[in-house]
């Protein structure tokens, strides 16, 4: 069964006195709604990794997400924390997170691997070649599948060296990170190689530009969240087909429905 990770972004939309409280309440409510939709995990993040996004301090990041993690973990949710900061990862695990999702694969913060090793949390190591401002400058490959798999192997080796056992390691090819939309589709062809590498694989295609490229290939203009989420749900089925462990999505309900139809199609066994 492919697991569904629902995305909860905690980004205050206001700096007024009510801003923090309002964003906390909104994030908790969103997390609850995603669980009702059938999310197996909630990925909680306080810093946008989108191209061109400005970075927030670790203190600000923790102020945003730790209370949200505490509330949702206390309600029984399995929480993943989307952070590149070791200090935030430690604070999030103390608040109840069971997975550290580091889009930099431990590269952004030299303390990340040892910090995770000292906890019992799982770690998602994503393929990454630099902060979002540099995103496309680093998107140069001779053999993209070989390089992504190879660079992920180096991150796995670093995790092991820090004392994180294999069963706690998840790998992610990092769609959209240091890759153009077209290159993301090339990486898709290498998913089988990643799945057979022995670690659990997570992928995130949700609402990404690669879906726009796929649609335009058929003369379809991808506009509106609903259509993005339909396209995302299709990728979730194909990911399940490829043996991926979990998919990170915004629209949990659409992916759950798509996966249910696939299960009916395939049969339970
Ligand atoms: N993508 C985003 C953020 N975090 N984490 C993992 N493991 N894999 C991803 O593909 C990934 C991620 C960017 O997406 P968002 O801005 O829509 O959350």
């Amino acid at each position: 069964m492919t697991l569904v990770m629902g995305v909860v972004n905690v980004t205050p939309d206001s700096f007024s006195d009510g801003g923090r409280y309002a964003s906390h309440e909104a994030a908790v409510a969103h997390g609850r709604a995603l669980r009702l939709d059938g999310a197996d995990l909630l990925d909680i993040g306080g810093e946008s990794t989108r191209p061109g996004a400005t970075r927030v301090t670790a203190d600000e990041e923790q102020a945003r997400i730790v209370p949200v993690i505490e509330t949702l973990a206390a309600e029984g949710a399995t929480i993943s924390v989307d952070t590149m900061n070791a200090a935030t990862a430690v604070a999030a695990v103390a608040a109840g997170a069971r997975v550290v999702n580091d889009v930099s694969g431990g590269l952004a913060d030299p303390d990340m691997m040892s910090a995770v090793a000292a906890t019992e949390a799982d770690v998602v190591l994503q393929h990454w070649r630099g902060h979002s401002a540099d995103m496309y400058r680093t998107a140069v490959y001779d053999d993209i599948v070989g390089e992504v798999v190879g660079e992920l192997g180096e991150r796995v080796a670093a995790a092991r060296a820090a004392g994180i056992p294999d069963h706690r390691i998840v790998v992610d090819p990092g769609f959209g990170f240091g890759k153009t939309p077209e290159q993301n589709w090339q990486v898709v062809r290498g998913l089988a190689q990643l799945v057979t590498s022995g670690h659990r694989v997570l992928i995130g295609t949700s609402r990404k530009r690669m879906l726009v490229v796929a649609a335009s290939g058929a003369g379809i203009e991808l506009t509106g969240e609903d259509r993005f989420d339909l396209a995302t749900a299709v990728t979730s089925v194909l990911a399940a087909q490829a043996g991926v462990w979990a998919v990170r999505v915004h629209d949990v309900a659409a992916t759950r429905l798509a996966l249910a139809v696939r299960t009916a199609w395939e049969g339970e066994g």
Side-chain angles (χ1 to χ4, degrees):
M1 265 302 284
T2 303
L3 302 184
V4 183
M5 175 188 273
V7 179
V8 179
N9 289 319
V10 194
T11 39
D13 38 28
S14 153
F15 291 103
S16 70
D17 288 347
R20 171 95 59 218
Y21 180 72
S23 68
H24 173 268
E25 288 301 291
V28 167
H30 190 58
R32 287 178 182 146
L34 293 181
R35 288 189 75 206
L36 287 175
D37 285 343
D40 300 293
L41 300 123
L42 297 178
D43 190 41
I44 301 182
E47 179 181 28
S48 174
T49 52
R50 289 267 156 160
T54 47
R55 304 222 45 203
V56 299
T57 64
D59 283 348
E60 171 61 21
E61 186 188 31
Q62 287 162 38
R64 289 179 183 182
I65 64 176
V66 166
V68 176
I69 293 171
E70 275 169 355
T71 303
L72 291 168
E75 293 174 6
T78 303
I79 307 291
S80 148
V81 58
D82 192 340
T83 185
M84 292 187 265
N85 291 308
T88 302
V90 169
V93 172
R98 295 217 238 130
V99 182
V100 174
N101 173 25
D102 181 353
V103 297
S104 82
L107 284 171
D109 186 336
D111 297 330
M112 182 61 97
M113 295 294 196
S114 53
V116 173
T119 71
E120 288 181 357
D122 288 353
V123 66
V124 178
L125 302 174
Q126 194 202 245
H127 180 258
W128 185 84
R129 282 185 167 185
H131 288 288
S132 54
D134 304 327
M135 204 78 98
Y136 288 130
R137 190 177 55 70
T138 56
V140 181
Y141 303 85
D142 288 324
D143 161 21
I144 189 163
V145 172
E147 286 170 56
V148 168
V149 171
E151 287 165 32
L152 276 175
E154 289 168 16
R155 303 322 304 151
V156 167
R160 282 183 184 141
I164 306 173
D166 282 316
H167 68 88
R168 283 171 49 198
I169 299 174
V170 178
V171 293
D172 181 333
F175 291 124
F177 289 82
K179 298 164 201 80
T180 64
E182 292 76 9
Q183 287 170 335
N184 290 329
W185 288 111
Q186 293 170 6
V187 172
V188 166
R189 320 278 177 260
L191 264 188
Q193 211 172 311
L194 212 52
V195 167
T196 54
S197 73
H199 293 97
R200 289 173 288 166
V201 176
L202 168 74
I203 66 162
T205 59
S206 190
R207 298 183 184 168
K208 289 190 181 168
R209 291 201 53 80
M210 61 192 289
L211 303 172
V212 175
V213 170
S216 72
I220 300 165
E221 196 185 341
L222 202 55
T223 49
E225 267 180 13
D226 286 357
R227 309 201 80 199
F228 263 100
D229 291 335
L230 171 59
T232 301
V234 174
T235 66
S236 295
V237 169
L238 295 167
Q241 207 77 11
V244 161
W245 167 71
V247 290
R248 180 184 181 279
V249 298
H250 298 88
D251 184 345
V252 168
T255 274
R256 285 270 300 177
L257 173 57
L259 292 176
V261 173
R262 172 186 178 250
T263 301
W265 183 281
E266 297 278 316
E268 292 285 350

